Amino acid sequence: MSTEAVKDITAGTISGICSKMIEYPFDTVKVRLHTDSTGRYKGAMDCFVSTYKTEGIKGIYRGVGSPIAGAMAENATLFWAYGLAQRTVKGYYGMDEKEELSLAQLSLCGSVSGFAVAHVLSPVERIKCLMQLQEIGLTKTKYSNFVQCAIGTIKEGGLSNLFKGHSSMLLRELPGNAAWYGCYESFCKLFCSYRDCKKSELPAHYIALSGALGGCAYWSAFFPADVVGSNMRGSNATSFSATFKEIYAREGLRGLYKGWGVTMVRAFPANAAIFVVYENVRKELDNVV
């Protein structure tokens, strides 16, 4: 493995841990709103308050072990695959290593990283959803931790049971990461032009804003895929299309965008943190190695 790949993986891993601790309470609310077919909650704030009152801070962070491990693997995979895709494209076109790719090429590299990370995220999301939903009676078995949940899920339906909802994950990650990186790089270029500087010289608040907007673009690219995925992972649903039709028939278009608001609130600080931490760690590693 190349030195550049090791740097991408290291910086991505550290950024993943930081962002997950910020965003997880929002994620718990989002998943419970996605799967609320009975009108249990009036909205995001009601869901948060209700969860905190009945389950405390433990309920807000229930199942966080799996996503922490997943965030480390997710961001390491994302930035490794993104860097590898960029180096591959530059090699294919005979470009110099320091030459910049176009936004279209960077978005394509983002899609490649999305395809790679979907295979890491599917089992993590499956376990996370089961843990988040068990306290409100939407799962058959209660587990005390994510390891027990993973073992029980495999015993129940084999290894493939961990990948339930994988089709929705691919439909979320491919366009989502094209939008994530595309938007992030677009705003970085805009701010670099405004300040007449290189990307490595941009102040942290410009990186944070670019990352935050990239996060909003990621979740807006195809949000219904995430809603369908949450329902598939936490229930006995068998296919993406059947679950999509069921949600639409029951709640209309609004049901397919349930939880979008809280997701945007979550996306802003979490993705700002991801890119600020990643870029700074990567810069330090470049100075050392």
Side-chain angles (χ1 to χ4, degrees):
M1 186 178 288
S2 69
T3 304
E4 293 303 305
V6 173
K7 291 177 185 177
D8 286 333
I9 290 170
T10 303
T13 299
I14 296 170
S15 70
I17 297 171
C18 296
S19 69
K20 189 54 64 179
M21 294 307 296
I22 293 171
E23 72 172 28
Y24 197 76
F26 298 102
D27 191 69
T28 296
V29 171
K30 182 201 74 169
V31 169
R32 292 192 173 188
L33 286 175
H34 281 184
T35 53
D36 178 24
S37 59
T38 60
R40 181 196 304 264
Y41 305 114
K42 296 175 184 176
M45 185 56 69
D46 179 55
C47 180
F48 179 86
V49 172
S50 176
T51 302
Y52 184 75
K53 280 183 177 179
T54 56
E55 303 169 51
I57 195 70
K58 188 176 179 180
I60 297 295
Y61 278 93
R62 188 175 303 283
V64 73
S66 171
I68 284 289
M72 293 166 66
E74 174 189 359
N75 284 275
T77 302
L78 272 173
F79 286 106
W80 164 77
Y82 185 57
L84 178 62
Q86 288 186 74
R87 290 189 288 275
T88 302
V89 170
K90 287 179 180 179
Y92 179 79
Y93 286 104
M95 297 171 67
D96 185 77
E97 193 175 305
K98 293 186 178 180
E99 277 188 77
E100 290 189 0
L101 296 176
S102 69
L103 288 175
Q105 289 171 324
L106 290 169
S107 295
L108 175 62
C109 293
S111 283
V112 171
S113 72
F115 179 79
V117 81
H119 296 81
V120 174
L121 278 178
S122 275
V124 173
E125 289 286 311
R126 170 73 162 142
I127 295 167
K128 183 201 73 175
C129 284
L130 289 172
M131 292 290 291
Q132 287 173 324
L133 298 174
Q134 65 182 11
E135 291 300 317
I136 55 176
L138 293 183
T139 57
K140 293 186 293 183
T141 311
K142 285 191 177 184
Y143 302 104
S144 57
N145 56 64
F146 78 93
V147 175
Q148 190 184 82
C149 182
I151 294 171
T153 304
I154 293 171
K155 283 182 178 178
E156 184 183 316
L159 191 62
S160 62
N161 200 19
L162 284 177
F163 285 85
K164 190 171 185 179
H166 188 55
S167 57
S168 69
M169 184 63 69
L170 287 168
L171 286 169
R172 186 186 86 181
E173 292 301 309
L174 266 72
N177 280 288
W180 194 48
Y181 282 112
C183 185
Y184 170 70
E185 299 287 4
S186 293
F187 278 99
C188 281
K189 286 178 182 289
L190 178 66
F191 293 137
C192 284
S193 176
Y194 171 71
R195 291 183 58 86
D196 191 24
C197 68
K198 296 178 181 178
K199 184 181 175 183
S200 59
E201 297 169 342
L202 273 178
H205 60 279
Y206 285 106
I207 294 293
L209 181 57
S210 299
L213 293 170
C216 293
Y218 166 88
W219 283 109
S220 298
F222 191 25
F223 191 74
D226 191 58
V227 177
V228 173
S230 292
N231 279 270
M232 289 181 73
R233 295 180 198 103
S235 69
N236 293 317
T238 55
S239 73
F240 181 91
S241 59
T243 309
F244 184 98
K245 290 175 183 176
E246 181 186 332
I247 295 170
Y248 185 77
R250 185 178 66 232
E251 303 173 64
L253 190 62
R254 185 177 180 180
L256 292 167
Y257 282 88
K258 187 183 287 184
W260 183 84
V262 70
T263 301
M264 290 300 104
V265 173
R266 177 190 81 165
F268 220 81
N271 287 277
I274 285 175
F275 281 105
V276 168
V277 172
Y278 173 81
E279 296 289 2
N280 278 283
V281 172
R282 190 69 164 76
K283 195 183 296 182
E284 290 301 318
L285 291 173
D286 285 337
N287 291 334
V288 174
V289 182

